[in-house]
Amino acid sequence: TGVGGLCVLATGPADSFDPDPLQSLAVTYTFTALVHGRPDWGKGGVYCRIPTEGVRQWKKRKAPEQVGDDPPEAGTGEEAVVGEPLNLVGALHLQCLDSLRLEDGHVLSTISARSSFDSGRLANVISYTLRSRLGLHVVNDRFSKREFAALPRRMRNLVRQSVCMGCYAVDMKHGDEALLVSIHSHQRTKCGYWRKILDVS
C-alpha cells in the first residue's frame, strides 16, 4: 500500500502456488489520513474519481493512457467529485471524521479514504488524488513540505519523518466468503491526539 498498517499477502510454496484463484478476490482498503484543511463533504462523504492519467505508475508495464511519470498540473477537479456512489475500483470514497483548528488558524482534518484501486502504491494514489483534485495535502507528504513547515514546532518534532497516513482496515470478498480485518489507526492521524498534545479546544 506504500504506508504502514495492513496489507494483503498470499502465501504458499513457491513451486506449487496457483495465483488464478486470486483473480476473483475483491479487496477494499480503508486508509486514515491527517490532512491540511477542512473539507465540506457532509455526513455521507463524497466519491472522487481517481485521475489515472496522472498517477505515478509503479508497475513496469503501463496502460496506453497512463504514460508519463510526472503528474500534470491540475485544478481542484470538482467535476471528478460526486455524491452518488462510484465503483471503488476506479474511485475513492472520502469522509471527514474530525477537524481541528490550531491557535494560529491552521486547520487540520482526519479523513478516511476507501478504495479497491489496484495499480501501484495506493497511498501515493490517494495523496495525489487529494492534492490534485481537492487541494488537500496529507500532513508530511513529500509534496507538501511548505504546508508541513507551517505547523507548530512541537507537532513537527513528533511527526518527524512519518507521513500521517496508514491503511487500517481491509475488506476481502471471495465468492460467498467475506472477511473484514481492522486495527486502530495510528495516533498521528487523529485530530483528537493533536488536540490533547497541543492543548487546543
Side-chain angles (χ1 to χ4, degrees), residues 30-39 41 92-99 108-114 126-127 130 134 136-138 164-166 168 185 189-191:
T30 301
F31 288 72
T32 303
L34 187 71
V35 300
H36 298 272
R38 181 178 182 178
W41 292 335
L92 304 175
H93 179 217
L94 303 166
Q95 290 181 290
C96 183
L97 308 178
D98 194 6
S99 294
L108 300 171
S109 297
T110 297
I111 68 168
S112 69
R114 297 179 64 244
I126 293 172
S127 291
L130 290 173
L134 300 166
L136 296 171
H137 292 250
V138 175
C164 293
M165 181 197 295
Y168 302 112
S185 57
T189 67
K190 300 177 180 179
C191 285

Side-chain angles (χ1 to χ4, degrees), residues 6 27 61-63 67-68 71 82 84 89 104 125 156 163 194 198 200:
L6 300 171
V27 182
R61 184 175 181 180
K62 301 176 182 178
V67 296
V82 298
E84 297 78 17
V89 171
D104 63 356
V125 172
R156 298 199 310 269
V163 63
W194 295 113
L198 301 176
V200 294

Side-chain angles (χ1 to χ4, degrees), residues 3 17 20 35-36 47 53 59-60 69 74-75 78 97 101 110 116 124 130 135 145 160 187 195 198:
V3 288
F17 182 72
D20 289 340
V35 300
H36 298 272
Y47 289 81
E53 75 283 354
K59 293 184 177 181
K60 291 183 179 179
D69 285 337
E78 293 181 358
L97 308 178
R101 181 177 294 275
T110 297
S116 301
N124 294 347
L130 290 173
K145 297 303 182 184
R160 296 184 181 179
Q187 58 189 15
R195 193 172 286 116
L198 301 176

Side-chain angles (χ1 to χ4, degrees), residues 45-201:
V46 296
Y47 289 81
C48 182
R49 295 182 180 88
I50 293 173
T52 53
E53 75 283 354
V55 172
R56 179 184 292 272
Q57 298 300 304
W58 297 96
K59 293 184 177 181
K60 291 183 179 179
R61 184 175 181 180
K62 301 176 182 178
E65 70 277 11
Q66 295 174 333
V67 296
D69 285 337
D70 295 325
E73 292 295 325
T76 58
E78 293 181 358
E79 73 284 350
V81 181
V82 298
E84 297 78 17
L86 296 175
N87 188 332
L88 293 182
V89 171
L92 304 175
H93 179 217
L94 303 166
Q95 290 181 290
C96 183
L97 308 178
D98 194 6
S99 294
L100 167 68
R101 181 177 294 275
L102 304 182
E103 291 182 351
D104 63 356
H106 199 106
V107 179
L108 300 171
S109 297
T110 297
I111 68 168
S112 69
R114 297 179 64 244
S115 183
S116 301
F117 188 74
D118 187 24
S119 180
R121 297 180 181 178
L122 187 49
N124 294 347
V125 172
I126 293 172
S127 291
Y128 172 71
T129 303
L130 290 173
R131 196 169 62 245
S132 65
R133 297 292 200 196
L134 300 166
L136 296 171
H137 292 250
V138 175
V139 173
N140 210 23
D141 176 72
R142 63 195 181 101
F143 291 103
S144 307
K145 297 303 182 184
R146 182 177 59 183
E147 290 79 5
F148 183 71
L151 294 175
R153 181 186 298 273
R154 177 165 172 72
M155 184 174 182
R156 298 199 310 269
N157 289 343
L158 289 171
V159 171
R160 296 184 181 179
Q161 301 300 316
S162 301
V163 63
C164 293
M165 181 197 295
C167 178
Y168 302 112
V170 176
D171 187 358
M172 294 169 285
K173 293 182 180 179
H174 186 268
D176 295 331
E177 299 182 13
L179 176 65
L180 173 63
V181 180
S182 63
I183 58 176
H184 291 294
S185 57
H186 196 282
Q187 58 189 15
R188 66 173 168 263
T189 67
K190 300 177 180 179
C191 285
Y193 169 75
W194 295 113
R195 193 172 286 116
K196 293 179 182 178
I197 292 295
L198 301 176
D199 193 23
V200 294
S201 58

